[in-house]
Structure formats: C-alpha cells, structure tokens
Amino acid sequence: MKQVKIPEATIGRLSFYSRFLTKLENDGIETVSSGEIAKGIAGNSAQVRKDFAYFGGFGKRGVGYNVADLNRNIKEILGLNREWKAVIVGMGNLGRALAYYHGFAARGFRIIGLFDNNPSKKGEKINNLEIQDASELENFLEKNPVDIAILTLPGETVQFVVDRVVKKGVKGILNFAPVVVFTEKDVQVRNVDLSVNLEILSYNLNSK
Amino acid sequence: MKQVKIPEATIGRLSFYSRFLTKLENDGIETVSSGEIAKGIAGNSAQVRKDFAYFGGFGKRGVGYNVADLNRNIKEILGLNREWKAVIVGMGNLGRALAYYHGFAARGFRIIGLFDNNPSKKGEKINNLEIQDASELENFLEKNPVDIAILTLPGETVQFVVDRVVKKGVKGILNFAPVVVFTEKDVQVRNVDLSVNLEILSYNLNSK
DNA sequence: ACATGTGAACTGCTTCACAGCG
DNA sequence: CGCTGTGAAGCAGTTCACATGT
C-alpha cells in the first residue's frame, strides 16, 4: 500500500459502510462481499473495493470481508476507537434536538456541555446535562478539554463563538448556520446546511 | 448558451450565492463582482463565473452583477419563485426543531402538515399546526397535495413511510435517517446525515 | 481599464475490466 | 471458481488564462 491522498468522498462513505456493517454485526452476519455492501448503501462494488484498497484492503479473495474485522478497521481509520468530547452552543430547537440525539453517543461522540446566552434557559436539564450560560464557556473549556464544538446559533453570532472556542483549544467545528466561518487552518470546520438540501430538491423537481 | 449538464455542486452553490445576495440586498448593495461573491461564500471567482455561465451569464463586463437581478435569476433557476408545500413526518426532537425552523419559510418552503404515530402527541400545536396521527397521512395528502415530505423518523420506518407518501404523489423526500431509501426514479431523494459530518471531522482531526 | 465569459488544461473521482489469489 | 485488489480508461468538476465586451 502506498500512501496516497484519500478522497473526502471516500471518508464519507466509510461512515456509511461502518453503520451498515454494525447492522450486519447485530444480525450475526460474519462475512460480506463488496457487492452486498454496495447494495446496502446504494453504491457500486468497484468503489467499495477501491475505498478499502486506499487503506490496504481487508478482504479475502474468493470469500469477501469479515464483517467485525472490517468494521473495526474502518472505525479505527475514522478515529472512532476513541471518545470525542463535544459541546453544543446555542440551545434553540435544533440545539436541543441534537442534545437529545442518540446517534452521536452511539458513534463515540460524547456531549459534555450545553451553552446558551439566554439566562432564562440556564439550569434547564437536557439528558442529564444542565444548560450553562454562554459566559461560562471559556471557564468550562479550560477545565474540560473539548475536541469539537457543535454550533446551532444564529448566523451573526457564529464567528464570535468560533473565535472563542478555538482560542480555548477546540479543533473541530460543526456549524449549522448558513454562514462562512473563518479560522486558523489547523481547525476543521464542517457545515451542515438544512436549506441547501431542500433547494437542490426544489431545483430537481422543477426541472422535470 | 448551449444546454449542457449542470453539475450538482453548482446547484448547491447557487443556494449559497442566493443567500449571500439576499444579505447584500438587505444592505442596499446594488452591484457585486464575482470576486466579492467568491469571498462571501469562501469560493473562487472563476467558479462563480462558470456557475453563472451555465445559465447564460448575468453580468456586465467591466462592471459586475446587479445584485437584485442576479438573485432573482438564481431563485428562478432553483425553483424558488413558487411556494413548495411540505409535510414533516416524525415529530421527535429533530422533527420539532424543523417545524420551528424559520429558514424554510424564508426560502419558500411551507410546512402544511405534521405527523407522528404516537397518539399522545396528537393535537399538540407547533407553530400553529396541529400534530396529526400518522394514520391520517394518506387522507391529508389526498386533500392537500404536497411536493416534499421531510422524514425525521427512525431508520426502520422510513421506507414504509416513503412508499405511502410516494403513492399519494409526493415527488421529493428529505430523509434524515442514515438508511438508503428506494423509490421510483421520478422521485427525488436527498439525505441529510448528521453523524457523517462528525465522523469526517473525527477522521480529519485524527490524521493530524 | 476592468470584470465577465469561456475554451483548454488540469485535477480528482468513479467505473471498467481483468489479473491475482484464496 | 469467485471475489478481491488494482492499473488504466473514462468522466466530472475545478482552475487557469485570456479574449471579449462595455
């Protein structure tokens, strides 16, 4: 295996593969072929094999892949063999929904702090975590190192909060507001945009 | 202008451009260059021009683009010059958050029905809409034609609901569960996956 | 003079097709 | 024989660089 650049699209698919494999594991299935994986995630078998080949290949020719092994390898590649600590800033409806969302914990992301700048929300409990006032953010991050900040904030306030959490060592940002975030380049930013997807739907529906 | 295939990536960017232009319109700015747009959405000016060129080009050489004109054109391309009617099925935390989300209405997507199969939620009001029992879904869709179904459901139930709404004429699906949806090909499906983005963050943070 | 519009070059990702191996 | 692993081909999207138009 030579060390080449991994397409970001491949990383995204690894995440799908892993969840599909977890389902297979739960069903007690031990072996799976690239074709079956492709069917499970609506992809193409050559692509599945190529994706794995970037990391050296995990299969047996003529047989397929061992489900548990493969899943363990993928999780390790994705960095899911450790726990990632995250905070959510902005406890509006979306922030709350994410605080309750089980999918994160199931994949190793632990939410350890919730913040909002509205004093009337302070102390409210969500999933055994108390909402803290946004002014506590720096203080909290100093005592509790955090890897990722999930920002469910109005667009105007996002950059301000990004600067604050980055200064306290946060290295990953998951931003839900439709604004561009600027940071040092060693900080990873991912944007989730709810409207874009509806607008692509709109375009596709319209041009039929 | 010749009719060529438009990259899906271009459509996604049009959505960003439009929101950036709306901001400029609100600030009373009348003219903008491809370079300024590029800065606003963290892109590249050649790409901005190429994106517009797919649709014939909207600018004046030596000057730039008229903000209001350009935005109107983009919205028309995206199909946002009409109202799209949508329902949300699955009123868990995420479904509720989306029901409250203002961003949809601001872009012409009107939520006209909320459904859940938990009888205890029936009648509860969110944003002036009553949650209806899932058994009412077909009945409602017959009386109220709907373009898009937003599905915030557990993965296991998604396909069942997709089949039901598609049978009643829904042509667009926005699915938030990490499962593959199968439909006739004239139905558009978009998937929003919250965990994938965290896992890509995890990968990128891990490989530093 | 200046910013658009665009062919051409480039880069990156996907699909093909088959050699290699269990 | 079957399914993986992989070079090579093919395709799609991005960036370059400049001719074009105002």
Side-chain angles (χ1 to χ4, degrees):
Chain A
M1 165 207 184
K2 7 180 213 332
Q3 191 39 37
V4 291
K5 209 214 149 268
I6 316 295
E8 170 147 319
T10 292
I11 305 305
R13 282 190 297 270
L14 289 183
S15 174
F16 280 100
Y17 298 149
S18 174
R19 277 183 290 181
F20 179 66
L21 292 168
T22 301
K23 226 184 296 172
L24 295 186
E25 273 193 86
N26 292 339
D27 293 351
I29 293 165
E30 286 181 7
T31 306
V32 68
S33 70
S34 59
E36 289 162 323
I37 295 174
K39 224 175 284 171
I41 71 139
N44 153 314
S45 70
Q47 184 161 72
V48 172
R49 292 196 300 278
K50 180 130 281 192
D51 284 340
F52 297 159
Y54 283 116
F55 305 96
F58 306 115
K60 271 200 184 53
R61 290 167 199 242
V63 180
Y65 301 87
N66 176 287
V67 173
D69 271 8
L70 180 57
N71 200 11
R72 188 161 21 74
N73 276 307
I74 294 178
K75 284 191 174 178
E76 192 176 323
I77 292 166
L78 289 174
L80 300 179
N81 51 348
R82 51 160 286 192
E83 184 180 82
W84 293 92
K85 294 205 171 68
V87 293
I88 302 178
V89 187
M91 298 307 293
N93 295 297
L94 185 57
R96 275 155 206 268
L98 296 182
Y100 281 115
Y101 183 55
H102 288 303
F104 291 159
R107 302 291 291 169
F109 296 94
R110 194 147 77 87
I111 312 290
I112 65 166
L114 307 176
F115 297 86
D116 198 285
N117 67 357
N118 181 339
S120 75
K121 290 184 184 165
K122 191 181 162 175
E124 188 187 331
K125 272 204 168 176
I126 295 185
N127 250 0
N128 290 317
L129 270 185
E130 272 192 15
I131 298 179
Q132 303 176 62
D133 193 85
S135 60
E136 300 291 327
L137 193 50
E138 279 83 357
N139 201 358
F140 181 90
L141 293 175
E142 264 167 30
K143 293 187 189 127
N144 308 275
V146 156
D147 307 290
I148 294 170
I150 299 172
L151 307 185
T152 41
L153 291 162
E156 316 84 70
T157 64
V158 167
Q159 187 64 53
F160 174 60
V161 173
V162 167
D163 293 340
R164 288 169 62 197
V165 300
V166 166
K167 200 170 284 177
K168 290 297 172 190
V170 167
K171 287 283 182 261
I173 304 277
L174 188 66
N175 166 43
F176 283 82
V179 296
V180 177
V181 168
F182 301 92
T183 53
E184 3 253 296
K185 23 188 177 336
D186 72 325
V187 176
Q188 294 289 324
V189 180
R190 305 278 320 165
N191 298 295
V192 179
D193 193 305
L194 301 173
S195 290
V196 165
N197 282 289
L198 271 180
E199 299 193 4
I200 295 174
L201 264 187
S202 164
Y203 172 83
N204 286 327
L205 293 174
N206 207 41
S207 53
K208 294 275 122 102
Chain B
M1 166 202 182
K2 9 180 210 339
Q3 191 39 38
V4 291
K5 208 211 151 267
I6 316 296
E8 170 148 318
T10 292
I11 305 303
R13 283 190 297 268
L14 288 182
S15 174
F16 281 100
Y17 299 147
S18 174
R19 277 182 291 179
F20 179 65
L21 292 167
T22 301
K23 227 181 297 171
L24 296 186
E25 272 192 87
N26 292 339
D27 293 350
I29 293 165
E30 286 182 7
T31 306
V32 68
S33 71
S34 59
E36 290 163 322
I37 295 175
K39 223 174 283 170
I41 71 140
N44 153 315
S45 69
Q47 183 160 75
V48 171
R49 292 196 300 279
K50 180 131 280 191
D51 283 341
F52 297 159
Y54 283 116
F55 305 96
F58 307 115
K60 272 201 183 52
R61 292 172 197 238
V63 180
Y65 302 87
N66 177 288
V67 173
D69 271 9
L70 181 57
N71 200 12
R72 189 163 19 75
N73 276 308
I74 294 178
K75 284 191 173 178
E76 191 176 324
I77 292 166
L78 289 174
L80 300 179
N81 51 347
R82 51 161 285 192
E83 184 179 81
W84 294 92
K85 293 202 171 70
V87 293
I88 302 178
V89 187
M91 298 307 293
N93 295 297
L94 185 57
R96 277 157 205 267
L98 297 182
Y100 281 115
Y101 184 55
H102 288 303
F104 291 159
R107 303 290 291 167
F109 297 94
R110 193 147 77 88
I111 311 292
I112 64 166
L114 306 176
F115 296 87
D116 198 283
N117 67 358
N118 180 340
S120 75
K121 290 183 184 166
K122 191 181 161 175
E124 187 187 331
K125 270 203 169 175
I126 295 185
N127 250 358
N128 289 320
L129 270 184
E130 272 191 17
I131 298 179
Q132 303 176 62
D133 193 84
S135 60
E136 301 291 327
L137 193 50
E138 279 83 357
N139 200 359
F140 180 89
L141 293 175
E142 264 167 32
K143 292 188 190 125
N144 308 277
V146 156
D147 306 291
I148 294 169
I150 298 171
L151 308 184
T152 42
L153 291 163
E156 315 85 70
T157 64
V158 168
Q159 186 64 54
F160 175 60
V161 173
V162 166
D163 293 340
R164 288 169 62 196
V165 299
V166 166
K167 201 170 284 175
K168 290 298 172 190
V170 167
K171 286 285 181 261
I173 305 278
L174 187 66
N175 166 42
F176 282 82
V179 295
V180 177
V181 168
F182 300 92
T183 52
E184 5 252 294
K185 24 188 176 334
D186 72 324
V187 177
Q188 293 289 325
V189 180
R190 306 277 320 165
N191 298 294
V192 179
D193 193 304
L194 301 173
S195 291
V196 164
N197 282 289
L198 271 180
E199 300 193 3
I200 295 174
L201 263 188
S202 163
Y203 172 82
N204 286 328
L205 293 174
N206 207 42
S207 54
K208 293 277 124 98

